[in-house]
Amino acid sequence: MSNFLPDLAGWALRGGAGDGENSNDNNGDENNNQGQSLSSTAAAAAAGTAPTEDEIRAKRLARMMAATTTSSKSSSNDDDGNAMDVDDDSSKPSATAAVANDDDKMDIENDKDNHDNTKNKPIKTKTPSSPSKAMMPSKPSPPTPTSQPPKEPKRKRTTPSAADTGRKLQRKKELLLRKVLSVSVTGDANSAAATSSLSPKSIFSASSSSSSTSTQIVHVDIDEPQNITVQTIAELLAARLSLSKDSPELRTLSNKALLPYLAQCHKRASEELKLLKQEQQSKSSKANSKSPSKHQKDMQEASLDILSEIQKQVVSYAASSLMCPDLFELAHDGIHELTKLLIQTTSDPMGSSITVGVTGTASSFYALLCEELYTQDEEVFQNVITGVVTILMDKNLRKCESVLDGGEDGGSSGLVVVGALSALCSNKKAAAALTKHPQFLLPPPDSPQAAEKVEPPMPTVPQGASSQQQRLFRLMQAMNRGNQGYLKRSGPALEKDTLLGLVLRLGLPKENPNVTQAFQNMTTATRAAVEKTTDGMRRQLRIYQDSCNALIRSLITAGADSRGQVMKWIIDALLVNVGSDAMRPDTSKVSNPQTLLNLSVVLLKLCEPFVNNEKKSLLIDCGFVSSEKDHGGVYTMTGDDAVTRLGENPTLPTDPYNPKNSFIPQCFFFCARVLHFGIVPCSSYHTNLLRQISHTHWQLRQRNADLQTDPQFNHLLTLQHANEASVLAPDMLADTLRFFNLVASVLLRMEDSELPLMPEHFVDDMCDVMIFVTRMAPKAMQRLDLGNIFRMVVKLLSPQYAHAVRNYNLRAKLGDVLYEVYLPSSIDDRKSVPDSVSCDPLAGGQPYLLADPSAQETLAPSLLLLYGEVEHTGYYEKMSHRANISAVLKFLWESTEHRPAFRRITQNKESFIKFANGIMNETNSLIASVMEKLPAIRSVQVQMANAQEWAALSDEQRETITSRHEEYEHEVKRALPLCNKTLQMLGFLNTDKDIRNLFLLQEMCPRLVNLLLHVLKKLVGAKGLELKVDNPESYNFRPKEMLRDLCAIFASFARAPEFIEECAKSGYYHSELVTKSVKTCRKLNLLKGESMELFASLPDLVDAAAQTVQADENLYEDAPDEFKDPIMDTFMKDPVLLPTSDTIVDRSTITQHLLNDPHDPFNRKDLTMDMVEPATELKDRMTKWIQEKRASVEGGSTD
C-alpha cells in the first residue's frame, strides 16, 4: 500500500483532494487572543508562519506510511495501541477521554444539536481541579435587618474559557466526521492511551447519529487529531480509502466498495449542510431572536467549511478512483459499482439515488462526479460512460425478451435498466458521451461492415446421441443454416446490436411465453378476468414506454451533437425497416413489431408539444420530404425504396429547404413514416387474425367439434388477446389519432402545388387507422377532435382535387372513413362510435356531414362520382365500398342542406349517366349472384337438417359440400347489403323530378326497366319459395324490405310514358307478375297512399302501351338491314357512325357500351362518345321510309 501513498499525497496537495490549507487561520487567531494553547501547527498558523506545501506533504506522507506499518503489526502486538480503532463505551476512559469528559456537560447544556453514540447512557461530568474565578459562583450577600428573608442573588452566567471553547469545537468536528464520513479520529500518543485498553477483537462500534440508519464507524489515525481542520479531510479520506478489502477494520461491513461509500458520504454531507443553512435562515428570520455568539458563529462556520470540503473531496476521490482503478484496492471495480448505483437510483429514487441532490440534480453526487471526470480527462470520462452502458447492455438488456422479464439471474428488468440509463443521462455530458458508444449506431450503408452477415451459433450435437440421431441433427443444422442470419445493417441488427434497439425491442410480443401464459384457456375465461390481465400488462407496457421516452428526451436535450446522433439512429431504423409494411415481412431483414410500436410511441410523444399547439404546428415545413439531405433517404423518390406520392410525377420545389425550426419537421415526418411501419401493419395483422379466428370457429361448428378442447382455436385466441394487449392500448391509439388529425391539418393548409408531393401513405395510413380504431376500440376515440380529418376527406374527394389522389383504392377508403367514423351512429345501427367524434362542437353538436360548408357544397356530387370509380378496386371490395357510399348518400339526401348539391348533379349529364350506369351494373351483378346462390344455400341447409341423409355421405362429399356452402354464404353476405342499399338509393334519388328524367333517357331507361322487372320476378315469381333460407337476417336478406323499395321505384315512374313503353317492350314483363306484386303490397301494407295507387295503376298502363309497341314492331318488321342496329337487331332511332370502324349503330346502344368498355365493339380500338358522328344521310332515308311505311299502313287500314 505504501507504494502509492506518495503519489496520493502529492495528488491531494495539488488540489485534487482539497485546496485550502489555511482556511482555519482566523479561528487560530481568535484562540490566541483568548490565551488558548495551541498545537505547534495551529500556533504557527496563528503567528502567520504556516508550513509550506512541501512540509505538509512530507509530514502527511510519513504519517500515512507509519499508519500502514502500525496496521500491519497490530495482529501481533495488541498492547501498543492501534493506529485505527473504534470507540468502546465499555472500556475504561484514559487521560484523553477524561479531558473529553470535561466538555460533555458543556456540550449538553449549550449544544442541543450535538449527538453522540453515548446519548442514551448517563453522562458523567467531572469538576475541574483548579477552576478559575470566572467559573466559581458568587458569594451570597449578608442578611439584611428587615423581617423579610434575604433574596438569593442570581447566578451569573459563566463564560467558557478559550480552552473549553476549543475543545467543544473539536468535539463538534469529531461528531460531524463520525456522522458524515463514518470515521472516528485518533492520534499518536493520545490515541494509544485512549485505545490501550480496547480488546483487539473489538475494533467496531455502532454509532447513533441524527440519521435514521445505523452506521458502522471506522477509527482512522491521522496527524494532529486534536486539531481537525479543512485540510484534515483529504488525509482522513485517503487513510479510510486506503484500507484493503481484507483488512480487519472492514471485516463487518456488508458493502466495502469505494463508490457507494463516497456517494453516501456526499449525500450525508449535503443533508447536513442544508440543515445548517436552514437553521441559520430560521434564526435570522425571527424578529426577537438573539444574535448568535462568536462561539456559535465559529462552530457554524467550521461545520460549513468541513461539510463543503467533504463534498468536494469525496467527488474528487471518486473521480480519481475511476481514472486510476489501481489507486485504491477497493476501487478496482469502479465502473461496475457506478452501474449498480445507477440501477439503485431507479429502484430507490429518493433513498439511494446518486442523481438527486438536496438542491436539485445539478448538486447530486453523480452530476458533480461527471463534471470532475470531464474536467480532469475527457477520454477517461468517455470510457467510464461507455463501460457503464456496455454492462447494462450485455448483462441486462440482452437477457430480456419482454417488459415482463428480469435480467441476469433474475436481476434488473428492462424497466430498471432503462431507468438506469435515464439516470446516467441526467447529466448532459454523460448523455452526449452515451451517443458516442460504439454500439449506438448501425454501420454506415456503404461500409464493409454493413454487408457482413451475422450467423447465430448453431447448437452442438448433444452428448450421448446415437449415430442416427447425430445424422438427423446435422441434417437439421444444414437445413436451418443461413435462415436465421442477418446483416449487420438490418432490422434485426438494429434491435440486437444497438443500444436504443435493445431498449425499444422490449414490449409484449404475442409469442413470448410470459405473455401467452397469461391468456391460456380463453374459451372458458370470463371477460372481467381477461380485461384485468390485459389492463395489468398495458400498465406495465405504458410505464416502460414512458421510461423509454424519458431516456430519448434526455439524449435529445443534451445538446446538438447528441440530438443529431439520435436522429441518425431514427433514420437508420426507418431505412432498414422499409419492408415491414409487407403482408408477410422478412424477419431476417426487418425488426420485430414491438420495436416499431415502441418507436412509434416515442415519436408520438416527441410530437406532443406541437400536436397540441397550433402555433408550433405552423413550423412544420413540408419541404422536408423533398430534401434528401435532411430526411436521409427516408422519403426518397428514386430507386427500389421510392416512396409513392399522392400525385403522379410531381414537380420538385425550386426553392431550397430552409425551415425556421428544423427539429419539429424532423419529428413530424419521421413519426408519420414510423407509423406506416409500426401501428398500421400491426392493425392489419390483427384484422387478419380475427378473420382467421372467425373462419376456424365456423369450421369447428360445422364439424360439431368442441371449441374448448381444440388446440388450434385456443392458440388463435391466445394470440388475439396477447396482440390486443399492445396493439389496442387506448393511450397509443388516442395519440395516433391526434397525430393524424395534425397531418390532416397540414394537408389542408398547404399550397396546391405542394399536395402532390406528399407521400401517399399519409392519407392511406390515416384511413386505415381510423377505420381500425372505429371497429376495434371505439372508446379510444372519446373526447377527441377529429374535425381536420373530416375536412381533409371532403377536400380530397372534391372534383377540384380528384386528380391529387390518383389511387382508386385510396379514394374508396376516404368514402369508407365517412361511413365508419362520421356518419352518425344511429344510422345502420352503428352504436359503437361516440357521437362526439361525428359531430362538430363548434356547430352546436351537429354532424360534420350536415354542418360543414365545404361538405354541403361538394360532398354529394363527389360521392356520386366515387360510386362509379370504385369499380376499379376489385370485385369484393367494390361491393363494400358502394354499400358505404350508398348509406352516406341516403343520409345526405334526407337533409335539406345537401339538396341543392344533388340538383346540381343533373347539370352534368355525362357524369350522372356514368353514376347511374354504375348503380345498375352493380345491382344486375349482385342480384344475379344472390338469386343464384340463395337457393343453393337453402338446399344445403335442408340437407344438413336431415341427420340421417347427411351422415350417409362420405367425408369427402361432406367436405366438398361444406366448402362450397361456406363460399356461397360469404358471397351472399357481402352482396346483399349493397343490393338493399342500391335499391334504396334508386328509390330516393328518383323522387326528384330532374334526376328521374335522366333515368328516362334512351340509353338508361331500358336497362332500368329490365333490372326492376328481373328482381321483381325473383322475389314474387313462382320460384320465390326457393329464397327462404334459414335465419335470413344473418345474410342481410330482407325480402319484404326489398319488395317495398322495388315497388316504390315502380310507383315513382308510373306516370312516365317512356318508362311505361319500355315495360311493354321488356321480355321480363308479365301482367300477372305485376298484378301479384300489387296484391302482395296491399296485403303486407308495404306502400301507402298515392304511391300504392300509382303502383296499382301500372298493369293497365303497360297493357295499353303494349298495343302501341306491337303496332310499331309490325311496322318495322320488314325494315331494311341497314336501318337496324347491328348489335341489338332493332330499328335504330338515332343512327351514328363509329369512325374507328366505319360502322353505323344506334346512339343508345353505343352509349351503353362505352359506359362499360371504352373500345369500339367491332375492332377494339379506343373510342369515346366525343368521336361518334351522326349518320345524317342514313337518318334522312330512315325517316322517309318510316313515313312512307306508316302512310301505307294507314291507307290500307282506311281501305
Side-chain angles (χ1 to χ4, degrees), residues 806-821:
R806 54 192 174 86
N807 187 327
Y808 289 120
N809 289 285
L810 179 53
R811 291 179 60 79
K813 286 183 182 180
L814 294 173
D816 291 342
V817 168
L818 291 177
Y819 172 80
E820 297 282 358
V821 182

Side-chain angles (χ1 to χ4, degrees), residues 432 435-436 558-566:
T435 61
K436 298 176 184 177
D561 292 341
S562 58
R563 181 168 62 247
Q565 289 289 92
V566 173

Side-chain angles (χ1 to χ4, degrees), residues 318-342:
S320 300
S321 68
L322 291 171
M323 293 169 62
C324 305
D326 296 334
L327 186 63
F328 301 109
E329 183 179 348
L330 299 178
H332 73 284
D333 207 12
I335 293 180
H336 280 81
E337 295 301 330
L338 179 58
T339 306
K340 291 179 182 178
L341 287 174
L342 291 171

Side-chain angles (χ1 to χ4, degrees), residues 713-778:
F713 185 70
N714 279 274
H715 176 66
L716 290 175
L717 289 180
T718 298
L719 289 181
Q720 173 196 345
H721 291 287
N723 198 51
E724 286 178 350
S726 55
V727 174
L728 297 184
D731 293 341
M732 180 188 71
L733 295 178
D735 289 343
T736 303
L737 292 177
R738 291 191 192 96
F739 177 81
F740 277 126
N741 194 60
L742 174 63
V743 173
S745 174
V746 173
L747 295 177
L748 281 171
R749 67 170 177 256
M750 68 175 48
E751 299 292 336
D752 291 350
S753 59
E754 295 177 320
L755 188 60
L757 284 166
M758 291 301 103
E760 186 179 87
H761 71 77
F762 282 13
V763 182
D764 201 1
D765 295 344
M766 185 189 309
C767 295
D768 287 339
V769 172
M770 290 280 285
I771 294 172
F772 175 75
V773 177
T774 301
R775 294 174 178 174
M776 303 298 174

